[in-house]
Amino acid sequence: MNDPSPISHALTGAIIALPALAALSVGARMLLSRAPSERVTAVIAGASAFVSWVLSIALLVLYRSRGAHPLDVDFGNWFSVEGYDFEVELLVDHLSLLMLITSTSIVGLVGRFSVHYLHREPGFHRFFLLMSAFSTGMNLLVLSGSYDLLFAGWEVVGIASMLLIAFFNDRRGPILGAVRAMISYRVADVGLLAAGVLLHEFLGSAEFEHAFHEGVWPHAGTPLDPKGATWVVLALLLAVMGKSAQFPLSGWLPRAMEGPTPSSALFYGALSVHAGVYLLLRSAPLIESSTTASIAIAVVGALSAITATLTGRTQTDAKNILAYATITQVGLMLVGIGFHLWTWVLVHMVGHASLRLLQLLRAPSALRDAQELQAALHGAPRPRPGVGVRVLPERFLARLYFLARHRFFLDEWMERLLIEPLLGLARGIDKLERKTVEGDVDEPLEDEHATSLSHGGAQ
Amino acid sequence: MNAALVLALIVVLSIGAFASYYRPNLLVARALATLTFALSLWAAVRAIQHTLPSQPGALLESDDLSALFMPLSALIACAVLFASPRRDLTGRALASVLLSLAAAVGAFCAADLTVFVAAWCLGLYATSLALPSAAQHARLAKAYKVYAALGTVPLILALSILYRAHDSSFHPSSAANNLLTVEAQHVVFVLLALAAAFRSGLFPLHAWLPALTGRAPVATSAMIFGAQLGPVLVARAIVPLTPLVAQGDMSAFSTWAVVSALYAALLGLVQKNFKRTLGFVLTSQSALLLFGVSGTNSESMHGALLGVVALGLTSTGLLLVAGALEARTGSDDLVNLRGRGRAFPRMTALFFLLAAAAIGLPGTLPFVSEDLLLHGLLHTNIRGAIALLVVTVLNGITLLRVFFEVFQGPTRERRAERRSDLTPREALVIGGLLLVTVIAGLSPRILLALQDHSVRALSNTSHTESGRVAKF
């Protein structure tokens, strides 16, 4: 239902624009002032997060008052040429509203937490700038009414994410983690772009109102035939593998825990990692029309869940354990999507986001809690090993532990089969060209920590 | 701007270049570039208000395409003259910039292939002026001359064939009178395509471009990437002068362009020098613009022409940052440059934003350009569209990798030496380029309206039915 009323335009526009304005303000203050005040930055970011949350509640009230029918909020063309228009259209329905309220709530809570957690941290202002930028991207992603516009939000979320992984930029580890995440994102985002291209090719538009029939999510149906839907969903699945850290592109997520705890909680516990799940939920009508794509989603989810849960059990770092637990749960959500259990997955996603947010925010103090618990249990019997440990042969367990500890060598296989041959060929050609054209070849300096692609993040 | 004014501008810039070579005067050079920018902007505003009729037989003509690209070239010249490191702005460099600008004005306003070739040669000479003269770079200078010859000889041969036919005017009525046989048009197409391939750095005519970017002053590289004569040659000359074969031959040309873009993007992944890495990324982007303009439908042509503007703005900004960093650290090696973010926060922020814009950050002009390119190509060449995505990914990885390498992480310097970040003037110029990229991206209607007439004409010409009587 097209909603021309100014109220819906004002609400949705403000929800997206406010965090963007906050990011610009904080950025401008950082550029212009030698020592910007933490208090002012916290007020700007906090106020924008709070007002966004209030407006999202107001949008919910408006939605209910309109009979809870999906609302298309049209902002007109961004640009148009003969034969093509880029429409800026937002969609308000119960899926986007639920995700929006979850997102604005979590951003507000994490922002409040971070004011004290990052007090006197050199990157205090940079954190709030990136958090506001992330919020802009997330709100745009959730409210978008087309895959083209969703991609815009998706990119902003990705950029904020990689910059926050490299937050502690005086150490090498976070930089390598950020490079690793960046490569995974860039490669996977081809899928989302390709899905948009395919929809334009098949239907002439990537807008949801053209990709799906009129109806209530998730049973709206699609005019696309099953073959076309399969290709589109498989392309989307590639994007989800990257953003939501699913098999085999999951290696970046544990490395992303190098960032500050609030960003780990916000991005990799609560919101960014679930953006892929949201994308698939939004694409429910396409998935329902393609059995092949549904199976593919379920298989990817199952493989992610199995490998991640096994790997997580070999970790000794609290945040890494939580990272693998997140991958496991998101994998299970994908299995649910494969079986078209839309409401289950939605509840699972919101519940998981909330729980993981809490766990990650508490992780720094978890060690102290564990020590206190151990002291309190002094003399108590040690916990019994699990069923698997008691039943399975020891050699098998040892081999499984070895594989899990090395993340099943996924990263190594991808580097050996894909990345190294490509880069080796490129280096050879480059050497030849330099010799021919410039008559010299600059040998690289000896550096065992070179951040070439083949070593990016491999730890 | 009428032809007399254009000619006067070219002459004044050339005289200014000559004078700068022997008696360098930065103030005069800046004044000339600013004057050119003001005049070309005025011409652009007039072009928006009135559709300028083209005159048969004219040698120089200011139309909507030139109204789009002239201010761009002048803006880039102003930016490099105001923000390049002082040590790079020698007499030779100043002369090179002013001559390059004169050549760009001539090429963009050329209504005849003869004038275009003259401007082309002037541009090549301008670039050669700025080549490093040190003995260890002699091979590069020699290689450049070879590549320049390989790119210019075909252009001159094409010109001679057109002279034999009738004339070399780009005007539609003159092109109709040329009446070349299909075979002759194929030959002219190939010759002009070779010239465009050299200028835009298509494989195997590409190696000079990233090598030069790595060694020459940033001002020279910025002028090369800012004045994209390759797409202009396709749009102005190839399509109107070979209407019977353009649409058919373009598919091979576009395949060549996208493969070259992939090739350059791949090599960009393994570079170890800052400016050379940028050189490969920008060469890859240049090839993509040729790919887009050969798409022959209005969306891809709009995308490619917008892409020329986007590439000019972002490449200049990125190169200026690279030049500023090299001037302060004395190094161009990525390993040596590690961890400079703390010392140079303004440089870090601007480089990141420009890099993000260059790879298509939503809200910037490159995003609009790539979106139009993609949607145009998917109607004519869906495999090419997928290849475009891959190139964009690879270039994005390269640029962001460079950002993290250079501006993040611990520094290798044992002693923390005090070095100044970007000066207010440098930050203003580079920030200004970024701002223009964002504003044009958020509101691209003016640029699209400006180029609409030309795009429609090109699109119609490339789909003309072959019902001509052959004379030669």
Side-chain angles (χ1 to χ4, degrees), chain B residues 31-365:
Chain B
L32 284 174
T34 309
L35 174 68
T36 309
F37 178 64
L39 283 172
S40 53
L41 204 58
W42 168 72
V45 169
R46 281 196 67 213
I48 292 169
Q49 291 166 346
H50 314 284
T51 304
L52 303 164
S54 61
Q55 304 288 334
L59 293 177
L60 283 170
E61 204 166 59
S62 177
D63 64 359
D64 42 3
L65 265 191
S66 61
L68 182 65
F69 296 142
M70 265 204 314
L72 172 70
S73 298
L75 180 64
I76 291 169
C78 289
V80 299
L81 288 173
F82 278 94
S84 281
R86 277 297 175 98
R87 66 168 201 187
D88 284 352
L89 294 175
T90 59
R92 290 172 73 101
L94 292 179
S96 171
V97 170
L98 291 175
L99 266 185
S100 297
L101 183 55
V105 169
F108 294 144
C109 293
D112 188 283
L113 190 60
T114 315
V115 175
F116 187 91
V117 172
W120 176 283
C121 294
L122 185 64
L124 292 179
Y125 175 67
T127 303
S128 69
L129 274 181
L131 285 175
S133 52
Q136 67 261 36
H137 301 311
R139 192 160 178 153
L140 172 62
K142 208 183 285 184
Y144 174 71
K145 284 174 186 149
V146 170
Y147 279 110
L150 286 172
T152 308
V153 165
L155 201 55
I156 294 170
L157 286 174
L159 186 62
S160 62
I161 294 174
L162 287 164
Y163 271 147
R164 287 187 63 212
H166 185 261
D167 63 34
S168 52
S169 171
F170 298 153
H171 193 272
S173 63
S174 296
N177 291 335
N178 272 336
L179 302 176
L180 288 171
T181 60
V182 170
E183 291 75 22
Q185 288 197 22
H186 276 303
V187 172
V188 168
F189 183 97
V190 168
L191 292 170
L192 293 179
L194 277 171
F198 151 72
R199 188 59 179 75
S200 293
L202 300 196
F203 176 86
L205 300 171
H206 68 286
W208 67 277
L209 199 40
L212 195 138
T213 310
R215 306 280 190 193
V218 294
T220 306
S221 314
M223 291 304 293
I224 293 172
F225 287 112
Q228 286 285 325
L229 295 188
V232 170
L233 184 58
V234 172
R236 274 257 200 270
I238 295 182
V239 173
L241 294 176
T242 61
L244 302 181
V245 306
Q247 200 180 3
D249 288 355
M250 276 300 183
S251 63
F253 185 60
S254 64
T255 304
W256 183 16
V258 77
V259 168
S260 301
L262 261 172
Y263 178 87
L266 193 62
L267 288 193
L269 291 173
V270 298
Q271 297 306 311
K272 300 178 189 76
N273 302 95
F274 195 178
K275 288 196 300 187
R276 191 180 163 89
T277 307
L278 289 181
F280 271 101
V281 170
L282 298 174
T283 302
S284 176
Q285 304 277 60
S286 295
L288 280 184
L289 295 181
L290 266 192
F291 177 47
V293 85
S294 63
T296 69
N297 62 51
S298 70
E299 289 137 291
S300 60
M301 281 198 186
H302 270 298
L305 295 178
L306 276 190
V308 169
V309 179
L311 182 64
L313 293 170
T314 53
S315 64
T316 305
L318 290 170
L319 287 166
L320 282 173
V321 171
L325 188 61
E326 190 183 26
R328 283 157 172 82
T329 60
S331 175
D332 187 45
D333 187 274
L334 287 175
V335 174
N336 267 341
L337 287 175
R338 269 190 200 157
R340 301 294 170 158
R342 273 181 195 273
F344 306 123
R346 268 189 230 152
M347 216 184 282
T348 304
L350 284 172
F351 184 86
F352 177 76
L353 291 170
L354 281 163
I359 60 178
L361 179 69
T364 62
L365 190 60

Side-chain angles (χ1 to χ4, degrees), chain A residues 102 269 274 333 344-358:
Chain A
T102 306
H274 292 108
M333 288 177 217
W344 269 36
V345 171
L346 197 53
V347 172
H348 188 178
M349 182 177 70
V350 176
H352 177 250
S354 308
L355 171 67
R356 207 62 77 196
L357 173 75
L358 171 66

Side-chain angles (χ1 to χ4, degrees), chain A residues 131-178:
Chain A
M131 191 191 78
S132 300
F134 163 77
S135 182
T136 308
M138 196 70 200
N139 294 346
L140 181 60
L141 187 159
V142 165
L143 284 173
S144 62
S146 69
Y147 286 99
D148 294 332
L149 203 57
L150 191 147
F151 176 75
W154 189 272
E155 280 285 276
V156 175
V157 165
I159 286 173
S161 162
M162 70 176 94
L163 288 175
L164 273 170
I165 296 171
F167 183 80
F168 298 112
N169 55 15
D170 52 346
R171 291 189 287 116
R172 200 85 185 116
I175 308 307
L176 294 175

